[in-house]
Amino acid sequence: MSRIVYVNGDYLDEADAKVSVFDRGFLMADGVYEVTSVLDGKLIAFDGHIERLGRSLSELDMASPVAMDELLGIHRELVDRNDLIDGLVYLQVTRGAPADRDFEFPDPEETPSTLVLFTQSKPGLADNPQAKKGIKIISIDDIRWGRRDIKTVQLLYPSMGKMMAKKAGADDAWLVEDGQVTEGTSNNAYIVKGNRIITRQLSNDILHGITRAAVLRYAREAQMEVEERAFTIAEAQGADEAFVTSASAFLMPVVEIDGAVLGDGKPGPVATRLREIYIEESRKTAI
Ligand code: PDD
């Protein structure tokens, strides 16, 4: 089925939606993005995603193409027009399409930024059968740039990491820098020891996950301990449980790391419980 997508103010059939070959998102990966999940036709953690988008834009001196408070209406319109029940809304802003390729940023007065949104339908998103089995992780070097807190569209290395994982018979990769895990290719990484959840502290080294913030809040409310610090692969392999979080996967248990099976090889009770809480609370607060 053909989708309706949003491009710079217009809602178009996906076959008719076009962006210039001079767009800096295309030529320079000069763009930022957000992914907001949708359950029962409602947006999950929308305010958090828009706040982070604002931060990504301002860190890169990029103008928002529309007033930030118009973005909710655009998201909702797109969900409606595509009859989206469960799935995602992808949003991307780039520094626009100047008249020619140039390393220097164009004058924003002359080159408006580009705004594109589209939906991805994922029926049964909250009932992903993988969550019952858990995923296998390999570790790879983190060779990304130093501003991973900005959600840019420079996703080549994360894509390569996923391919390395698939080739190794695993599902995803955790990135390791100076001997310590930063995060997953497209998610934040956690280990569990007893009642304690350990995840890397916020800095420029990782994306400040919107799902991370919610899951840590729910964990604290459920009387679990939260420790925000870095950990090694060896520590993770010896942990009781592990998991990852992202807007699209919610909370996904990890059952194997570099060939070492965690516990009995099944999703543990803490990850399973937190996933349930996260989905339940997200449905309640969706807009
Ligand atoms: N990825 N870390 C990285 C590197 C990510 O790309 C993502 C999200 C996260 C989790 O952030 P959040 O909870 O706000 O989704 C952490 C999105 C889902 C993607 O690229 O599709």
Side-chain angles (χ1 to χ4, degrees):
M1 204 187 80
S2 179
R3 272 175 289 195
I4 301 294
V5 305
Y6 174 97
V7 184
N8 294 329
D10 295 321
Y11 294 89
L12 302 165
D13 188 287
E14 63 182 32
D16 302 323
K18 304 267 187 299
V19 175
S20 164
V21 295
F22 296 107
D23 195 280
R24 287 182 59 92
F26 177 61
L27 295 178
M28 308 277 186
D30 188 359
V32 299
Y33 74 109
E34 280 298 331
V35 175
T36 304
S37 55
V38 172
L39 288 177
D40 302 325
K42 290 184 176 169
L43 299 153
I44 306 297
F46 181 77
D47 291 347
H49 286 287
I50 294 309
E51 203 178 303
R52 184 173 64 192
L53 174 68
R55 182 173 177 277
S56 293
L57 289 169
S58 85
E59 290 296 305
L60 294 175
D61 270 332
M62 205 183 286
S64 174
V66 298
M68 297 304 270
D69 59 10
E70 286 177 48
L71 290 171
L72 177 59
I74 298 173
H75 277 74
R76 283 183 164 158
E77 183 77 28
L78 214 52
V79 167
D80 279 357
R81 288 191 188 224
N82 289 287
D83 293 323
L84 187 67
I85 309 294
D86 290 343
L88 312 170
V89 179
Y90 176 90
L91 171 155
Q92 180 170 329
V93 181
T94 77
R95 207 182 303 273
D100 208 347
R101 179 177 181 267
D102 194 339
F103 278 78
E104 282 182 25
F105 292 174
D107 178 348
E109 296 295 317
E110 284 163 29
T111 305
S113 39
T114 299
L115 175 63
V116 169
L117 288 92
F118 57 81
T119 54
Q120 289 183 286
S121 175
K122 308 226 177 243
L125 180 63
D127 306 313
N128 184 349
Q130 188 106 56
K132 298 235 155 45
K133 283 179 24 200
I135 58 170
K136 296 178 184 176
I137 296 290
I138 58 162
S139 63
I140 61 173
D141 281 345
D142 195 341
I143 59 166
R144 298 173 301 162
W145 78 325
R147 289 305 305 273
R148 303 155 192 159
D149 57 311
I150 307 174
K151 198 163 171 60
T152 75
V153 296
Q154 305 172 88
L155 296 177
L156 179 55
Y157 189 63
S159 293
M160 289 168 69
K162 284 256 193 229
M163 296 312 291
M164 289 184 238
K166 297 276 164 204
K167 208 165 161 197
D171 302 291
D172 206 347
W174 279 5
L175 306 170
V176 176
E177 187 173 54
D178 300 329
Q180 301 194 300
V181 175
T182 50
E183 59 187 331
T185 56
S186 60
N187 42 58
N188 290 116
Y190 307 73
I191 58 174
V192 180
K193 291 174 150 187
N195 194 36
R196 202 152 30 102
I197 292 160
I198 300 160
T199 194
R200 196 176 174 107
Q201 68 280 9
L202 297 180
S203 71
N204 291 355
D205 299 335
I206 64 168
L207 188 74
H208 301 188
I210 303 305
T211 320
R212 176 189 184 279
V215 163
L216 294 187
R217 191 170 70 244
Y218 300 141
R220 289 186 174 107
E221 282 169 14
Q223 313 304 325
M224 297 173 189
E225 266 176 67
V226 174
E227 205 177 327
E228 294 183 64
R229 64 160 172 87
F231 55 85
T232 63
I233 288 291
E235 185 179 8
Q237 289 174 318
D240 298 325
E241 299 181 36
F243 61 89
V244 296
T245 63
S246 74
S248 47
F250 304 139
L251 186 156
M252 183 60 68
V254 169
V255 292
E256 197 180 305
I257 301 172
D258 281 342
V261 174
L262 301 193
D264 61 2
K266 297 203 183 84
V270 171
T272 303
R273 179 81 193 109
L274 269 178
R275 179 180 165 87
E276 282 167 9
I277 297 174
Y278 177 77
I279 292 172
E280 203 178 298
E281 293 298 320
S282 296
R283 283 190 194 280
K284 274 193 225 157
T285 52
I287 60 168

